[in-house]
Amino acid sequence: MAKKLYSIGDAAKISKITKKALRFYDELDIIRPDKIFDNRYRYYTIETLLMIPVLKYFKQMGFTLAEIRNFIHDSNLSKMRALFLKKIATLEEEKREWHKRYTSVVDWTNLIEEAQMVLENNATEVSVKFKEGSSYFYMKQPFKQNTVEAIINMEFTNEIENNCNAITGPVIIKYPSHKDRTQGDCETMTVIQKTIFPQEKSMMTFDGGMYLCCYHIGSYDDIASTYKKMIEWSNTHRYKCSDECFERYVVDYWTTKNPDCFVTEIMINVSK
């Protein structure tokens, strides 16, 4: 009994792909028509059309048409397994890159939204907040009294790349003394920032606890005024401040060159 033949138009409707795609698959020797009559019209049996869902599934996994053709014409399972393992390795690298991009964009968006909230509400009041502890990549360096060079830190970012990692979230700088920081006498700093991928080398723990916090809006030239306000507040409310301080750069030179949009959260560990 002769098998039913479907015209290329009917085959396209059944398989939900275009006639152009069917012709292309024919040219690549992936899915060939069962009959080509004198008028050059292509006709397919249902058995042949059943290869189209298989083709779609291979495409879903990211295989090229050339690779798919090899699968169809070569039933060597060892070769197929090797190609699948190679594809897995490629997809793992793509997943890593996607995760890096996605995490970076999400974290940056969150910082912009935080800065918008601070700027729109002029949220510069002093408060005591609980900050959770976390692990950060860190690097101790001399402080050259150049904040832009400290924040967009070439040595720091190069070291991250040397570790095959990437940074995300705000740059945070720890200064050993808030007094020295405000008086312009600070000679050292520790740059810390989150890494996207797990890392063991050069990691430090940011201790959780109660911190005196205040947002500073604008240029870093007058950041000492915010420190002064915080210390006066702590004295009034009888909080004891530790020597070291942290500046968390929410929006800075990484985002804009306009200092009017800079938002920095200053944090000093406190106790009663």
Side-chain angles (χ1 to χ4, degrees), residues 98-115:
W98 181 90
H99 175 67
K100 179 172 69 176
R101 293 169 186 166
Y102 179 81
T103 302
S104 300
V105 171
V106 168
D107 287 349
W108 206 308
T109 303
N110 290 338
L111 290 174
I112 291 172
E113 290 175 349
E114 180 182 349

Side-chain angles (χ1 to χ4, degrees), residues 22 35 52 54 61 65 69 85 89 100 103 110 146 149 168 202 204 206 215 218 241 258 261 263-264 270-271:
L22 281 169
K35 294 284 186 180
I52 293 174
V54 177
M61 290 186 282
L65 291 175
R69 181 179 59 211
L85 290 174
K100 179 172 69 176
T103 302
N110 290 338
N146 185 328
E149 187 178 339
T168 187
S202 301
M204 67 169 283
F206 172 80
Y215 286 108
C241 294
N258 181 3
C261 297
V263 173
T264 308
V270 292
S271 60

Side-chain angles (χ1 to χ4, degrees), residues 199-240:
Q199 166 130 355
E200 296 182 2
K201 181 182 176 183
S202 301
M203 297 298 290
M204 67 169 283
T205 299
F206 172 80
D207 294 328
M210 303 306 295
Y211 283 81
L212 187 68
C213 300
C214 186
Y215 286 108
H216 173 79
I217 295 176
S219 170
Y220 307 116
D221 294 338
D222 63 344
I223 200 167
S225 62
T226 300
Y227 275 99
K228 181 181 178 182
K229 179 173 66 173
M230 294 173 69
I231 298 304
E232 289 176 351
W233 189 97
S234 68
N235 291 335
T236 300
H237 293 82
R238 298 181 179 180
Y239 279 95
K240 182 180 179 181

Side-chain angles (χ1 to χ4, degrees), residues 73-104:
H73 295 297
D74 189 346
S75 60
N76 186 311
L77 294 182
S78 294
K79 289 183 180 178
M80 185 176 289
R81 179 178 179 276
L83 284 170
F84 268 76
L85 290 174
K86 182 179 179 182
K87 178 60 67 178
I88 289 171
T90 300
L91 292 173
E92 286 289 346
E93 182 59 32
E94 289 176 1
K95 182 172 71 172
R96 178 183 171 90
E97 286 300 309
W98 181 90
H99 175 67
K100 179 172 69 176
R101 293 169 186 166
Y102 179 81
T103 302
S104 300

Side-chain angles (χ1 to χ4, degrees), residues 22-215:
L22 281 169
R23 295 189 187 98
F24 187 54
Y25 296 151
D26 181 12
E27 293 172 5
L28 293 179
D29 191 25
I30 295 176
I31 296 177
R32 307 295 299 271
D34 295 279
K35 294 284 186 180
I36 301 179
F37 291 105
D38 292 340
N39 57 10
R40 301 188 62 79
Y41 284 176
R42 294 170 170 83
Y43 287 85
Y44 300 81
T45 64
I46 192 65
E47 287 80 7
T48 297
L49 295 180
L50 289 176
M51 286 301 301
I52 293 174
V54 177
L55 170 66
K56 289 180 178 180
Y57 191 62
F58 277 116
K59 288 179 68 178
Q60 173 184 309
M61 290 186 282
F63 288 105
T64 66
L65 291 175
E67 289 171 330
I68 294 170
R69 181 179 59 211
N70 291 336
F71 290 148
I72 291 173
H73 295 297
D74 189 346
S75 60
N76 186 311
L77 294 182
S78 294
K79 289 183 180 178
M80 185 176 289
R81 179 178 179 276
L83 284 170
F84 268 76
L85 290 174
K86 182 179 179 182
K87 178 60 67 178
I88 289 171
T90 300
L91 292 173
E92 286 289 346
E93 182 59 32
E94 289 176 1
K95 182 172 71 172
R96 178 183 171 90
E97 286 300 309
W98 181 90
H99 175 67
K100 179 172 69 176
R101 293 169 186 166
Y102 179 81
T103 302
S104 300
V105 171
V106 168
D107 287 349
W108 206 308
T109 303
N110 290 338
L111 290 174
I112 291 172
E113 290 175 349
E114 180 182 349
Q116 277 187 305
M117 179 276 295
V118 173
L119 292 168
E120 290 171 3
N121 295 280
N122 193 31
T124 57
E125 64 276 6
V126 181
S127 63
V128 174
K129 299 178 183 177
F130 175 76
K131 295 285 186 177
E132 291 187 359
S134 190
S135 294
Y136 291 85
F137 184 85
Y138 79 98
M139 179 178 287
K140 293 183 178 180
Q141 295 175 318
F143 181 55
K144 303 175 183 178
Q145 306 299 325
N146 185 328
T147 308
V148 62
E149 187 178 339
I151 295 172
I152 305 182
N153 195 305
M154 192 72 70
E155 184 181 359
F156 183 79
T157 53
N158 286 345
E159 185 61 21
I160 285 282
E161 291 176 5
N162 290 340
N163 284 272
C164 300
N165 214 321
I167 51 177
T168 187
V171 174
I172 301 174
I173 295 181
K174 180 176 76 171
Y175 298 98
S177 167
H178 60 81
K179 293 179 182 178
D180 289 346
R181 171 62 171 149
T182 56
Q183 294 170 4
D185 297 330
C186 194
E187 296 181 349
T188 62
M189 65 179 185
T190 303
V191 186
I192 65 176
Q193 197 166 9
K194 284 277 192 181
T195 59
I196 291 181
F197 306 108
Q199 166 130 355
E200 296 182 2
K201 181 182 176 183
S202 301
M203 297 298 290
M204 67 169 283
T205 299
F206 172 80
D207 294 328
M210 303 306 295
Y211 283 81
L212 187 68
C213 300
C214 186
Y215 286 108

